Amino acid sequence: MVWTETLERFPYPFKEDVYRYSNNSVPMENPISVEMNSRYVEEIKLKRQLLSDHPERCFQSLPHSIKAQWEAAALVMEQLAGAYPETFSLKKNGREWTFQNKTLNEMQSFTYGDTASLDHEPLDFVGRHVQEDLILMMQRDGDLYLDAGQLCFPANWSLAFNLGMKFRQIHHPIPGFKEEGLDSRILKFLLRLESGVPWERKNWSLMAGDRLDTSLETFDEWGKLRKTVTRDNAGEFVHLRIEVQKLFRLPQTHSILFTIHTYVISLERFCENPEWKRQFYEILKELPPHITDYKGIGRYKGAVLAYLEEQL
Ligand code: HEM
């Protein structure tokens, strides 16, 4: 699942030599909620396998989210058909719609708004055609609630645990987020999000190994790999994990579609860009313990720094 495309296409996340939590959201240049790349078929196969093996882990929804799910699914299908017409098409005849995925050779006709006309709930249906994880935040009483989501590639969190939670509750585990008032500032920003003006941000982390499914529920399988990182294997074994996260306001239900596209690259490959290598070394060396610990890097940070120093 590692990066095989040119480095120029890799979503490099850093702006400065020092990293701190902030609202690093920016207006989107190319306003599309989902993106296809050369890993498409492989990742869709993996997603569908995870959904079939672990349905509760990978899809959760509350009954009142159905209307917003339809609106989110429509946005994604329309954008897919618009951006990738050689792969996707969406034909509408009133409420009778047909969605076609030519890469997977699949065609689905359904009645828009009638969930019984699909095999899955709308968000779960459309999520099976995109590499992104899809989260639906519904807005009411001046707050945002995680009321539905399809999540196959989480960075160490649990959808089943977070279902129904408010934005600030979800972000409660992040050290300093509440104390610095960041959670309230970001919530305020999100509550004001306008339809037609989508935003995006990048999140980053390091991981031992390259698996996309790093759910909280499977921590015992992948967390222990952190103990096996050494200066000698770090280049191949340690991966930088980037999430490109996009925020779209859905005008009818006034909810927010939050999409997460996860990219993974080995340190070795990442270091082929000398400026990235230099900047990431500076960032990691200076990273305060509360962020290092939260991201789970503490145990092998020394080995990674030693590897990077050797490369510089
Ligand atoms: C509105 C949709 C969003 C959802 C559903 C969401 C969800 C999450 C979740 C589940 C986590 C992991 C928390 C844990 O440890 O259990 C997280 C982490 C985080 N979120 Fe969000 N988030 C959203 C938007 C944002 C925005 C707009 C920002 C803007 C700055 C943000 C900043 C962060 C940061 C900095 C972390 C810590 C990540 C790390 O250090 O690796 N989130 N988020």
Side-chain angles (χ1 to χ4, degrees):
M1 287 301 150
V2 289
W3 189 252
T4 47
E5 309 197 15
T6 60
L7 279 191
E8 288 77 60
R9 292 201 61 195
F10 192 77
Y12 184 72
F14 303 113
K15 295 263 172 294
E16 294 159 22
D17 289 5
V18 171
Y19 177 84
R20 289 294 181 274
Y21 290 137
S22 65
N23 185 1
N24 57 347
S25 310
V26 293
M28 284 179 63
E29 279 171 25
N30 175 22
I32 178 158
S33 57
V34 288
E35 233 169 274
M36 271 181 100
N37 63 20
S38 60
R39 310 225 64 86
Y40 181 78
V41 173
E42 205 177 329
E43 290 184 7
I44 295 297
K45 210 169 134 204
L46 175 60
K47 258 189 131 180
R48 291 183 180 190
Q49 192 63 50
L50 288 163
L51 280 156
S52 146
D53 294 348
H54 311 284
E56 281 94 34
R57 205 168 87 200
C58 298
F59 184 76
Q60 289 281 338
S61 70
L62 294 173
H64 62 255
S65 68
I66 290 292
K67 208 170 157 207
Q69 283 193 47
W70 275 109
E71 196 181 3
L75 178 98
V76 172
M77 284 187 278
E78 281 159 4
Q79 291 187 346
L80 284 173
Y84 305 103
E86 66 292 352
T87 299
F88 299 99
S89 75
L90 181 65
K91 301 228 159 63
K92 297 181 186 176
N93 181 7
R95 287 177 62 213
E96 302 308 315
W97 293 19
T98 299
F99 178 66
Q100 194 180 4
N101 181 331
K102 291 167 213 160
T103 301
L104 301 179
N105 202 15
E106 292 178 5
M107 182 134 91
Q108 174 79 48
S109 295
F110 56 88
T111 307
Y112 182 83
D114 176 10
T115 304
S117 66
L118 287 173
D119 290 341
H120 305 281
E121 290 187 24
L123 198 67
D124 194 9
F125 164 71
V126 81
R128 290 165 193 258
H129 293 272
V130 297
Q131 287 162 272
E132 283 76 6
D133 288 313
L134 305 175
I135 305 292
L136 199 52
M137 301 294 289
M138 295 189 67
Q139 188 161 328
R140 59 182 171 275
D141 312 326
D143 218 324
L144 283 168
Y145 296 78
L146 198 171
D147 283 348
Q150 190 197 67
L151 183 76
C152 295
F153 306 145
N156 200 13
W157 64 285
S158 161
L159 179 63
F161 180 73
N162 281 5
L163 184 73
M165 276 194 192
K166 297 180 190 178
F167 180 83
R168 281 180 293 192
Q169 277 175 315
I170 294 172
H171 290 85
H172 188 75
I174 306 163
F177 228 59
K178 184 170 190 285
E179 295 75 0
E180 291 162 26
L182 249 180
D183 60 349
S184 299
R185 289 207 301 278
I186 298 168
L187 175 63
K188 215 183 247 177
F189 153 77
L190 290 172
L191 292 170
R192 287 203 217 107
L193 214 71
E194 289 173 27
S195 80
V197 191
W199 290 69
E200 72 179 323
R201 65 179 291 266
K202 296 188 190 91
N203 193 40
W204 73 276
S205 191
L206 281 182
M207 61 190 289
D210 64 359
R211 64 186 267 170
L212 283 172
D213 161 28
T214 47
S215 56
L216 192 59
E217 290 88 342
T218 54
F219 182 80
D220 61 320
E221 291 170 25
W222 53 269
K224 59 189 174 204
L225 298 178
R226 293 169 176 173
K227 292 184 201 155
T228 64
V229 176
T230 63
R231 170 217 292 248
D232 292 336
N233 71 13
E236 248 180 277
F237 187 48
V238 174
H239 289 71
L240 191 68
R241 183 183 178 106
I242 308 296
E243 291 183 351
V244 176
Q245 307 177 340
K246 299 180 173 177
L247 296 151
F248 278 74
R249 170 71 74 192
L250 304 173
Q252 281 159 26
T253 53
H254 208 55
S255 40
I256 291 175
L257 173 65
F258 179 65
T259 71
I260 310 166
H261 196 134
T262 302
Y263 299 85
V264 167
I265 190 170
S266 70
L267 273 186
E268 207 168 46
R269 184 83 207 285
F270 176 83
C271 286
E272 286 172 22
N273 181 319
E275 177 49 23
W276 292 1
K277 176 168 64 182
R278 183 206 64 77
Q279 187 168 56
F280 184 57
Y281 172 74
E282 295 300 330
I283 287 170
L284 194 61
K285 196 168 58 158
E286 193 278 339
L287 201 66
H290 68 281
I291 301 184
T292 314
D293 291 344
Y294 173 73
K295 287 182 184 286
I297 307 170
R299 186 182 277 275
Y300 60 96
K301 178 176 160 176
V304 171
L305 283 174
Y307 168 79
L308 292 171
E309 253 157 41
E310 220 170 56
Q311 303 297 312
L312 283 168

